[in-house]
Structure formats: structure tokens, C-alpha cells
mmCIF file of all heavy atoms in Angstrom:
data_model
loop_
_atom_site.group_PDB
_atom_site.id
_atom_site.type_symbol
_atom_site.label_atom_id
_atom_site.label_comp_id
_atom_site.label_asym_id
_atom_site.label_seq_id
_atom_site.Cartn_x
_atom_site.Cartn_y
_atom_site.Cartn_z
ATOM 1 N N PRO A 73 93.174 105.164 104.663
ATOM 2 C CA PRO A 73 92.775 106.172 103.675
ATOM 3 C C PRO A 73 91.315 106.660 104.003
ATOM 4 O O PRO A 73 90.634 106.052 104.787
ATOM 5 C CB PRO A 73 92.840 105.450 102.328
ATOM 6 C CG PRO A 73 92.729 104.055 102.675
ATOM 7 C CD PRO A 73 93.335 103.842 104.022
ATOM 8 N N LYS A 74 90.904 107.750 103.344
ATOM 9 C CA LYS A 74 89.628 108.331 103.672
ATOM 10 C C LYS A 74 88.460 107.407 103.470
ATOM 11 O O LYS A 74 87.484 107.422 104.256
ATOM 12 C CB LYS A 74 89.407 109.657 102.851
ATOM 13 C CG LYS A 74 89.379 109.490 101.365
ATOM 14 C CD LYS A 74 89.182 110.846 100.653
ATOM 15 C CE LYS A 74 89.091 110.691 99.170
ATOM 16 N NZ LYS A 74 90.290 110.156 98.507
ATOM 17 N N GLU A 75 88.514 106.485 102.487
ATOM 18 C CA GLU A 75 87.450 105.553 102.273
ATOM 19 C C GLU A 75 87.316 104.585 103.421
ATOM 20 O O GLU A 75 86.247 104.217 103.798
ATOM 21 C CB GLU A 75 87.649 104.779 100.954
ATOM 22 C CG GLU A 75 87.635 105.625 99.667
ATOM 23 C CD GLU A 75 88.988 106.177 99.317
ATOM 24 O OE1 GLU A 75 89.942 106.099 100.198
ATOM 25 O OE2 GLU A 75 89.172 106.721 98.228
ATOM 26 N N ILE A 76 88.448 104.149 103.942
ATOM 27 C CA ILE A 76 88.405 103.187 105.119
ATOM 28 C C ILE A 76 87.909 103.969 106.319
ATOM 29 O O ILE A 76 87.170 103.399 107.184
ATOM 30 C CB ILE A 76 89.817 102.582 105.357
ATOM 31 C CG1 ILE A 76 90.206 101.741 104.162
ATOM 32 C CG2 ILE A 76 89.803 101.776 106.621
ATOM 33 C CD1 ILE A 76 89.277 100.565 103.853
ATOM 34 N N LYS A 77 88.291 105.231 106.464
ATOM 35 C CA LYS A 77 87.793 105.999 107.605
ATOM 36 C C LYS A 77 86.290 106.175 107.582
ATOM 37 O O LYS A 77 85.611 106.025 108.597
ATOM 38 C CB LYS A 77 88.469 107.367 107.577
ATOM 39 C CG LYS A 77 88.172 108.242 108.846
ATOM 40 C CD LYS A 77 88.984 109.512 108.792
ATOM 41 C CE LYS A 77 88.703 110.324 110.075
ATOM 42 N NZ LYS A 77 89.471 111.580 110.087
ATOM 43 N N ARG A 78 85.737 106.371 106.343
ATOM 44 C CA ARG A 78 84.295 106.468 106.185
ATOM 45 C C ARG A 78 83.602 105.187 106.514
ATOM 46 O O ARG A 78 82.536 105.124 107.146
ATOM 47 C CB ARG A 78 83.887 106.968 104.786
ATOM 48 C CG ARG A 78 84.084 108.415 104.586
ATOM 49 C CD ARG A 78 83.346 108.946 103.334
ATOM 50 N NE ARG A 78 83.827 108.292 102.124
ATOM 51 C CZ ARG A 78 84.717 108.857 101.336
ATOM 52 N NH1 ARG A 78 85.237 110.011 101.622
ATOM 53 N NH2 ARG A 78 85.155 108.223 100.206
ATOM 54 N N LEU A 79 84.199 104.083 106.065
ATOM 55 C CA LEU A 79 83.655 102.736 106.360
ATOM 56 C C LEU A 79 83.599 102.482 107.825
ATOM 57 O O LEU A 79 82.607 101.933 108.379
ATOM 58 C CB LEU A 79 84.497 101.653 105.661
ATOM 59 C CG LEU A 79 84.042 100.242 105.924
ATOM 60 C CD1 LEU A 79 82.707 99.931 105.326
ATOM 61 C CD2 LEU A 79 85.142 99.222 105.320
ATOM 62 N N ALA A 80 84.678 102.839 108.479
ATOM 63 C CA ALA A 80 84.727 102.641 109.979
ATOM 64 C C ALA A 80 83.695 103.407 110.668
ATOM 65 O O ALA A 80 83.024 102.909 111.647
ATOM 66 C CB ALA A 80 86.166 103.077 110.503
ATOM 67 N N GLU A 81 83.386 104.632 110.218
ATOM 68 C CA GLU A 81 82.313 105.395 110.810
ATOM 69 C C GLU A 81 80.974 104.775 110.580
ATOM 70 O O GLU A 81 80.106 104.977 111.446
ATOM 71 C CB GLU A 81 82.346 106.821 110.164
ATOM 72 C CG GLU A 81 83.549 107.633 110.592
ATOM 73 C CD GLU A 81 83.682 108.927 109.834
ATOM 74 O OE1 GLU A 81 82.853 109.113 108.882
ATOM 75 O OE2 GLU A 81 84.590 109.755 110.177
ATOM 76 N N GLU A 82 80.766 104.056 109.481
ATOM 77 C CA GLU A 82 79.493 103.418 109.199
ATOM 78 C C GLU A 82 79.278 102.146 110.019
ATOM 79 O O GLU A 82 78.189 101.862 110.454
ATOM 80 C CB GLU A 82 79.429 103.044 107.729
ATOM 81 C CG GLU A 82 79.371 104.165 106.729
ATOM 82 C CD GLU A 82 79.390 103.769 105.321
ATOM 83 O OE1 GLU A 82 79.193 102.562 105.028
ATOM 84 O OE2 GLU A 82 79.626 104.632 104.408
ATOM 85 N N ILE A 83 80.295 101.326 110.243
ATOM 86 C CA ILE A 83 80.111 99.985 110.753
ATOM 87 C C ILE A 83 80.603 99.812 112.193
ATOM 88 O O ILE A 83 80.293 98.810 112.863
ATOM 89 C CB ILE A 83 80.856 98.927 109.875
ATOM 90 C CG1 ILE A 83 82.348 99.127 109.901
ATOM 91 C CG2 ILE A 83 80.270 98.933 108.466
ATOM 92 C CD1 ILE A 83 83.107 98.045 109.194
ATOM 93 N N LEU A 84 81.324 100.766 112.800
ATOM 94 C CA LEU A 84 81.800 100.661 114.126
ATOM 95 C C LEU A 84 81.057 101.663 115.069
ATOM 96 O O LEU A 84 80.635 102.696 114.615
ATOM 97 C CB LEU A 84 83.291 100.911 114.221
ATOM 98 C CG LEU A 84 84.186 99.794 113.784
ATOM 99 C CD1 LEU A 84 84.253 99.642 112.275
ATOM 100 C CD2 LEU A 84 85.637 99.910 114.352
ATOM 101 N N LYS A 85 80.995 101.350 116.310
ATOM 102 C CA LYS A 85 80.336 102.146 117.323
ATOM 103 C C LYS A 85 81.380 102.569 118.395
ATOM 104 O O LYS A 85 81.905 101.769 119.098
ATOM 105 C CB LYS A 85 79.195 101.355 118.049
ATOM 106 C CG LYS A 85 78.125 100.880 117.114
ATOM 107 C CD LYS A 85 77.185 99.997 117.878
ATOM 108 C CE LYS A 85 76.096 99.416 116.952
ATOM 109 N NZ LYS A 85 75.172 98.502 117.602
ATOM 110 N N GLU A 86 81.631 103.896 118.374
ATOM 111 C CA GLU A 86 82.531 104.512 119.372
ATOM 112 C C GLU A 86 83.819 103.650 119.537
ATOM 113 O O GLU A 86 84.185 103.179 120.656
ATOM 114 C CB GLU A 86 81.884 104.684 120.709
ATOM 115 C CG GLU A 86 80.647 105.630 120.600
ATOM 116 C CD GLU A 86 79.970 105.780 121.908
ATOM 117 O OE1 GLU A 86 80.368 105.120 122.911
ATOM 118 O OE2 GLU A 86 79.076 106.641 121.993
ATOM 119 N N PRO A 87 84.552 103.402 118.433
ATOM 120 C CA PRO A 87 85.721 102.453 118.534
ATOM 121 C C PRO A 87 86.935 103.065 119.265
ATOM 122 O O PRO A 87 87.105 104.287 119.268
ATOM 123 C CB PRO A 87 86.037 102.263 117.075
ATOM 124 C CG PRO A 87 85.641 103.505 116.384
ATOM 125 C CD PRO A 87 84.386 103.910 117.037
ATOM 126 N N VAL A 88 87.664 102.224 119.897
ATOM 127 C CA VAL A 88 88.979 102.573 120.382
ATOM 128 C C VAL A 88 89.920 102.568 119.188
ATOM 129 O O VAL A 88 89.863 101.706 118.334
ATOM 130 C CB VAL A 88 89.494 101.565 121.453
ATOM 131 C CG1 VAL A 88 90.893 101.869 121.862
ATOM 132 C CG2 VAL A 88 88.552 101.512 122.646
ATOM 133 N N SER A 89 90.859 103.555 119.120
ATOM 134 C CA SER A 89 91.797 103.613 117.999
ATOM 135 C C SER A 89 93.205 103.345 118.506
ATOM 136 O O SER A 89 93.616 103.822 119.543
ATOM 137 C CB SER A 89 91.759 105.034 117.346
ATOM 138 O OG SER A 89 90.535 105.227 116.747
ATOM 139 N N ILE A 90 93.907 102.452 117.773
ATOM 140 C CA ILE A 90 95.294 102.129 118.079
ATOM 141 C C ILE A 90 96.099 102.357 116.816
ATOM 142 O O ILE A 90 95.741 101.838 115.708
ATOM 143 C CB ILE A 90 95.436 100.648 118.510
ATOM 144 C CG1 ILE A 90 94.705 100.416 119.790
ATOM 145 C CG2 ILE A 90 96.937 100.303 118.653
ATOM 146 C CD1 ILE A 90 94.646 98.928 120.176
ATOM 147 N N ASN A 91 97.175 103.112 116.875
ATOM 148 C CA ASN A 91 98.036 103.344 115.718
ATOM 149 C C ASN A 91 99.438 102.914 116.054
ATOM 150 O O ASN A 91 100.185 103.673 116.689
ATOM 151 C CB ASN A 91 97.994 104.816 115.321
ATOM 152 C CG ASN A 91 98.792 105.123 114.036
ATOM 153 O OD1 ASN A 91 99.492 104.217 113.529
ATOM 154 N ND2 ASN A 91 98.606 106.277 113.520
ATOM 155 N N MET A 92 99.797 101.749 115.671
ATOM 156 C CA MET A 92 101.159 101.202 115.921
ATOM 157 C C MET A 92 102.103 101.740 114.889
ATOM 158 O O MET A 92 103.293 101.779 115.148
ATOM 159 C CB MET A 92 101.133 99.640 115.921
ATOM 160 C CG MET A 92 100.140 99.047 116.832
ATOM 161 S SD MET A 92 100.358 99.584 118.591
ATOM 162 C CE MET A 92 102.050 99.115 118.938
ATOM 163 N N VAL A 93 101.651 102.093 113.755
ATOM 164 C CA VAL A 93 102.535 102.541 112.616
ATOM 165 C C VAL A 93 103.230 103.849 113.033
ATOM 166 O O VAL A 93 104.371 104.041 112.780
ATOM 167 C CB VAL A 93 101.742 102.730 111.348
ATOM 168 C CG1 VAL A 93 102.662 103.311 110.215
ATOM 169 C CG2 VAL A 93 101.134 101.402 110.873
ATOM 170 N N ALA A 94 102.463 104.721 113.717
ATOM 171 C CA ALA A 94 103.021 106.048 114.029
ATOM 172 C C ALA A 94 104.086 105.938 115.152
ATOM 173 O O ALA A 94 104.910 106.821 115.216
ATOM 174 C CB ALA A 94 101.924 106.954 114.540
ATOM 175 N N HIS A 95 104.074 104.901 115.923
ATOM 176 C CA HIS A 95 104.968 104.823 117.108
ATOM 177 C C HIS A 95 106.053 103.817 116.920
ATOM 178 O O HIS A 95 107.016 103.815 117.700
ATOM 179 C CB HIS A 95 104.149 104.459 118.349
ATOM 180 C CG HIS A 95 103.031 105.478 118.620
ATOM 181 N ND1 HIS A 95 103.292 106.693 119.026
ATOM 182 C CD2 HIS A 95 101.695 105.334 118.533
ATOM 183 C CE1 HIS A 95 102.191 107.343 119.210
ATOM 184 N NE2 HIS A 95 101.151 106.565 118.912
ATOM 185 N N GLU A 96 105.995 102.954 115.921
ATOM 186 C CA GLU A 96 107.029 101.916 115.731
ATOM 187 C C GLU A 96 108.049 102.367 114.718
ATOM 188 O O GLU A 96 107.784 102.909 113.685
ATOM 189 C CB GLU A 96 106.416 100.622 115.243
ATOM 190 C CG GLU A 96 105.562 99.941 116.337
ATOM 191 C CD GLU A 96 104.982 98.615 115.837
ATOM 192 O OE1 GLU A 96 105.139 98.305 114.636
ATOM 193 O OE2 GLU A 96 104.407 97.933 116.662
ATOM 194 N N ALA A 97 109.328 102.114 115.107
ATOM 195 C CA ALA A 97 110.419 102.410 114.159
ATOM 196 C C ALA A 97 110.373 101.356 113.051
ATOM 197 O O ALA A 97 109.817 100.252 113.273
ATOM 198 C CB ALA A 97 111.709 102.361 114.897
ATOM 199 N N PHE A 98 110.963 101.680 111.904
ATOM 200 C CA PHE A 98 110.988 100.687 110.816
ATOM 201 C C PHE A 98 111.757 99.480 111.281
ATOM 202 O O PHE A 98 112.708 99.581 112.083
ATOM 203 C CB PHE A 98 111.640 101.278 109.577
ATOM 204 C CG PHE A 98 111.380 100.508 108.351
ATOM 205 C CD1 PHE A 98 110.160 100.647 107.681
ATOM 206 C CD2 PHE A 98 112.301 99.602 107.910
ATOM 207 C CE1 PHE A 98 109.903 99.863 106.551
ATOM 208 C CE2 PHE A 98 112.038 98.862 106.774
ATOM 209 C CZ PHE A 98 110.844 98.998 106.090
ATOM 210 N N ASN A 99 111.412 98.322 110.810
ATOM 211 C CA ASN A 99 112.023 97.080 111.194
ATOM 212 C C ASN A 99 113.508 97.075 110.862
ATOM 213 O O ASN A 99 114.006 97.026 109.782
ATOM 214 C CB ASN A 99 111.383 95.913 110.395
ATOM 215 C CG ASN A 99 111.818 94.542 110.924
ATOM 216 O OD1 ASN A 99 112.810 94.427 111.661
ATOM 217 N ND2 ASN A 99 111.096 93.491 110.530
ATOM 218 N N THR A 100 114.317 97.145 112.004
ATOM 219 C CA THR A 100 115.759 97.241 111.886
ATOM 220 C C THR A 100 116.384 95.893 111.556
ATOM 221 O O THR A 100 117.573 95.811 111.357
ATOM 222 C CB THR A 100 116.402 97.804 113.132
ATOM 223 O OG1 THR A 100 115.941 97.016 114.303
ATOM 224 C CG2 THR A 100 115.947 99.254 113.351
ATOM 225 N N ASP A 101 115.565 94.797 111.577
ATOM 226 C CA ASP A 101 116.102 93.521 111.241
ATOM 227 C C ASP A 101 116.249 93.281 109.710
ATOM 228 O O ASP A 101 116.653 92.287 109.212
ATOM 229 C CB ASP A 101 115.200 92.396 111.804
ATOM 230 C CG ASP A 101 115.421 92.274 113.330
ATOM 231 O OD1 ASP A 101 116.489 92.602 113.838
ATOM 232 O OD2 ASP A 101 114.460 91.889 113.999
ATOM 233 N N ILE A 102 115.779 94.275 108.939
ATOM 234 C CA ILE A 102 115.829 94.200 107.459
ATOM 235 C C ILE A 102 116.866 95.115 106.938
ATOM 236 O O ILE A 102 116.806 96.351 107.112
ATOM 237 C CB ILE A 102 114.447 94.518 106.843
ATOM 238 C CG1 ILE A 102 113.368 93.640 107.428
ATOM 239 C CG2 ILE A 102 114.529 94.361 105.309
ATOM 240 C CD1 ILE A 102 111.985 94.000 106.917
ATOM 241 N N GLU A 103 117.935 94.589 106.309
ATOM 242 C CA GLU A 103 118.866 95.425 105.573
ATOM 243 C C GLU A 103 118.305 95.708 104.218
ATOM 244 O O GLU A 103 117.820 94.815 103.538
ATOM 245 C CB GLU A 103 120.199 94.670 105.487
ATOM 246 C CG GLU A 103 120.972 94.508 106.744
ATOM 247 C CD GLU A 103 122.256 93.817 106.534
ATOM 248 O OE1 GLU A 103 122.362 92.848 105.773
ATOM 249 O OE2 GLU A 103 123.297 94.293 107.132
ATOM 250 N N GLN A 104 118.389 96.997 103.804
ATOM 251 C CA GLN A 104 117.755 97.407 102.510
ATOM 252 C C GLN A 104 118.837 97.908 101.562
ATOM 253 O O GLN A 104 119.579 98.862 101.870
ATOM 254 C CB GLN A 104 116.751 98.496 102.783
ATOM 255 C CG GLN A 104 115.600 98.021 103.663
ATOM 256 C CD GLN A 104 114.656 99.183 104.020
ATOM 257 O OE1 GLN A 104 113.891 99.641 103.203
ATOM 258 N NE2 GLN A 104 114.745 99.610 105.257
ATOM 259 N N TYR A 105 118.977 97.180 100.446
ATOM 260 C CA TYR A 105 119.983 97.502 99.430
ATOM 261 C C TYR A 105 119.287 97.897 98.113
ATOM 262 O O TYR A 105 118.169 97.490 97.844
ATOM 263 C CB TYR A 105 120.846 96.295 99.154
ATOM 264 C CG TYR A 105 121.846 95.950 100.250
ATOM 265 C CD1 TYR A 105 121.422 95.292 101.379
ATOM 266 C CD2 TYR A 105 123.189 96.344 100.149
ATOM 267 C CE1 TYR A 105 122.316 94.951 102.413
ATOM 268 C CE2 TYR A 105 124.085 95.965 101.180
ATOM 269 C CZ TYR A 105 123.641 95.324 102.281
ATOM 270 O OH TYR A 105 124.555 95.023 103.266
ATOM 271 N N PHE A 106 119.957 98.731 97.338
ATOM 272 C CA PHE A 106 119.425 98.983 95.995
ATOM 273 C C PHE A 106 120.657 98.980 95.027
ATOM 274 O O PHE A 106 121.770 99.300 95.391
ATOM 275 C CB PHE A 106 118.712 100.294 95.903
ATOM 276 C CG PHE A 106 119.525 101.542 96.028
ATOM 277 C CD1 PHE A 106 120.139 102.144 94.897
ATOM 278 C CD2 PHE A 106 119.763 102.103 97.307
ATOM 279 C CE1 PHE A 106 120.900 103.262 95.052
ATOM 280 C CE2 PHE A 106 120.534 103.233 97.424
ATOM 281 C CZ PHE A 106 121.095 103.825 96.300
ATOM 282 N N TYR A 107 120.333 98.513 93.791
ATOM 283 C CA TYR A 107 121.318 98.473 92.738
ATOM 284 C C TYR A 107 120.750 99.181 91.523
ATOM 285 O O TYR A 107 119.598 98.871 91.112
ATOM 286 C CB TYR A 107 121.655 97.032 92.389
ATOM 287 C CG TYR A 107 122.299 96.253 93.564
ATOM 288 C CD1 TYR A 107 121.493 95.655 94.529
ATOM 289 C CD2 TYR A 107 123.675 96.191 93.666
ATOM 290 C CE1 TYR A 107 122.069 94.960 95.595
ATOM 291 C CE2 TYR A 107 124.239 95.521 94.702
ATOM 292 C CZ TYR A 107 123.453 94.923 95.692
ATOM 293 O OH TYR A 107 124.038 94.221 96.718
ATOM 294 N N VAL A 108 121.512 100.074 90.941
ATOM 295 C CA VAL A 108 121.069 100.847 89.773
ATOM 296 C C VAL A 108 121.526 100.139 88.494
ATOM 297 O O VAL A 108 122.700 99.884 88.336
ATOM 298 C CB VAL A 108 121.592 102.267 89.839
ATOM 299 C CG1 VAL A 108 121.024 103.092 88.605
ATOM 300 C CG2 VAL A 108 121.238 102.954 91.167
ATOM 301 N N ILE A 109 120.557 99.819 87.637
ATOM 302 C CA ILE A 109 120.824 99.119 86.441
ATOM 303 C C ILE A 109 120.152 99.773 85.282
ATOM 304 O O ILE A 109 119.331 100.659 85.430
ATOM 305 C CB ILE A 109 120.300 97.671 86.569
ATOM 306 C CG1 ILE A 109 118.792 97.683 86.795
ATOM 307 C CG2 ILE A 109 121.027 96.849 87.599
ATOM 308 C CD1 ILE A 109 118.071 96.412 86.637
ATOM 309 N N GLU A 110 120.412 99.303 84.064
ATOM 310 C CA GLU A 110 119.606 99.745 82.889
ATOM 311 C C GLU A 110 118.449 98.737 82.753
ATOM 312 O O GLU A 110 118.507 97.625 83.240
ATOM 313 C CB GLU A 110 120.482 99.766 81.652
ATOM 314 C CG GLU A 110 121.668 100.720 81.707
ATOM 315 C CD GLU A 110 121.273 102.223 81.843
ATOM 316 O OE1 GLU A 110 120.048 102.523 81.824
ATOM 317 O OE2 GLU A 110 122.181 103.019 82.084
ATOM 318 N N GLU A 111 117.441 99.178 82.071
ATOM 319 C CA GLU A 111 116.212 98.388 81.988
ATOM 320 C C GLU A 111 116.438 96.972 81.454
ATOM 321 O O GLU A 111 115.904 95.988 81.932
ATOM 322 C CB GLU A 111 115.203 99.101 81.095
ATOM 323 C CG GLU A 111 113.838 98.418 81.001
ATOM 324 C CD GLU A 111 113.118 98.282 82.298
ATOM 325 O OE1 GLU A 111 113.162 99.292 83.089
ATOM 326 O OE2 GLU A 111 112.556 97.219 82.604
ATOM 327 N N TRP A 112 117.361 96.884 80.441
ATOM 328 C CA TRP A 112 117.571 95.605 79.778
ATOM 329 C C TRP A 112 118.391 94.636 80.643
ATOM 330 O O TRP A 112 118.628 93.477 80.282
ATOM 331 C CB TRP A 112 118.227 95.789 78.402
ATOM 332 C CG TRP A 112 119.585 96.416 78.511
ATOM 333 C CD1 TRP A 112 120.814 95.838 78.788
ATOM 334 C CD2 TRP A 112 119.885 97.813 78.303
ATOM 335 N NE1 TRP A 112 121.841 96.772 78.773
ATOM 336 C CE2 TRP A 112 121.289 98.026 78.517
ATOM 337 C CE3 TRP A 112 119.109 98.942 78.033
ATOM 338 C CZ2 TRP A 112 121.915 99.250 78.418
ATOM 339 C CZ3 TRP A 112 119.739 100.209 77.950
ATOM 340 C CH2 TRP A 112 121.120 100.315 78.128
ATOM 341 N N GLU A 113 118.895 95.076 81.777
ATOM 342 C CA GLU A 113 119.794 94.296 82.601
ATOM 343 C C GLU A 113 119.081 93.561 83.736
ATOM 344 O O GLU A 113 119.682 92.878 84.529
ATOM 345 C CB GLU A 113 120.867 95.147 83.197
ATOM 346 C CG GLU A 113 121.853 95.754 82.207
ATOM 347 C CD GLU A 113 122.935 96.626 82.849
ATOM 348 O OE1 GLU A 113 122.499 97.540 83.597
ATOM 349 O OE2 GLU A 113 124.087 96.386 82.644
ATOM 350 N N ARG A 114 117.719 93.744 83.888
ATOM 351 C CA ARG A 114 117.090 93.222 85.085
ATOM 352 C C ARG A 114 117.267 91.728 85.280
ATOM 353 O O ARG A 114 117.602 91.325 86.367
ATOM 354 C CB ARG A 114 115.557 93.518 84.951
ATOM 355 C CG ARG A 114 115.197 95.016 85.170
ATOM 356 C CD ARG A 114 113.719 95.174 85.314
ATOM 357 N NE ARG A 114 113.387 96.613 85.258
ATOM 358 C CZ ARG A 114 113.469 97.506 86.242
ATOM 359 N NH1 ARG A 114 113.859 97.066 87.426
ATOM 360 N NH2 ARG A 114 113.176 98.722 86.050
ATOM 361 N N ALA A 115 117.004 90.947 84.258
ATOM 362 C CA ALA A 115 117.104 89.473 84.436
ATOM 363 C C ALA A 115 118.553 89.055 84.770
ATOM 364 O O ALA A 115 118.738 88.245 85.742
ATOM 365 C CB ALA A 115 116.655 88.756 83.142
ATOM 366 N N ASP A 116 119.514 89.617 84.051
ATOM 367 C CA ASP A 116 120.940 89.280 84.403
ATOM 368 C C ASP A 116 121.247 89.739 85.803
ATOM 369 O O ASP A 116 121.963 89.032 86.551
ATOM 370 C CB ASP A 116 121.878 89.992 83.414
ATOM 371 C CG ASP A 116 121.892 89.317 82.050
ATOM 372 O OD1 ASP A 116 121.616 88.082 81.970
ATOM 373 O OD2 ASP A 116 122.133 89.994 81.013
ATOM 374 N N ALA A 117 120.745 90.920 86.229
ATOM 375 C CA ALA A 117 121.033 91.455 87.532
ATOM 376 C C ALA A 117 120.523 90.546 88.653
ATOM 377 O O ALA A 117 121.180 90.263 89.627
ATOM 378 C CB ALA A 117 120.489 92.849 87.663
ATOM 379 N N VAL A 118 119.239 90.126 88.527
ATOM 380 C CA VAL A 118 118.652 89.340 89.613
ATOM 381 C C VAL A 118 119.295 87.900 89.678
ATOM 382 O O VAL A 118 119.537 87.429 90.783
ATOM 383 C CB VAL A 118 117.104 89.196 89.400
ATOM 384 C CG1 VAL A 118 116.717 88.175 88.377
ATOM 385 C CG2 VAL A 118 116.468 88.949 90.772
#
């Protein structure tokens, strides 16, 4: 975020930048499920 970018400009000297987030696909080893419930059903659902 912009605050971290400003901090980096203050404390680092001509840093090398690496962005792994932009080049890595989302972790395919994680299956992602969702279940739609009513609010009062959370405890029973989990």
C-alpha cells in the first residue's frame, strides 16, 4: 500500500524490487469451497 511504499522510500537505498505476487498463480493445492447459510445456522453448519 502507499504507506509502505513511502516507508520504503525513507529507509531503503536504491532497492531491488521483486514482485512474486504478480507472477505466481494462486495456490492450486488448495480446494476452495463455499456454503450459503442463514446467519443463525453458522454454528450448526461448521
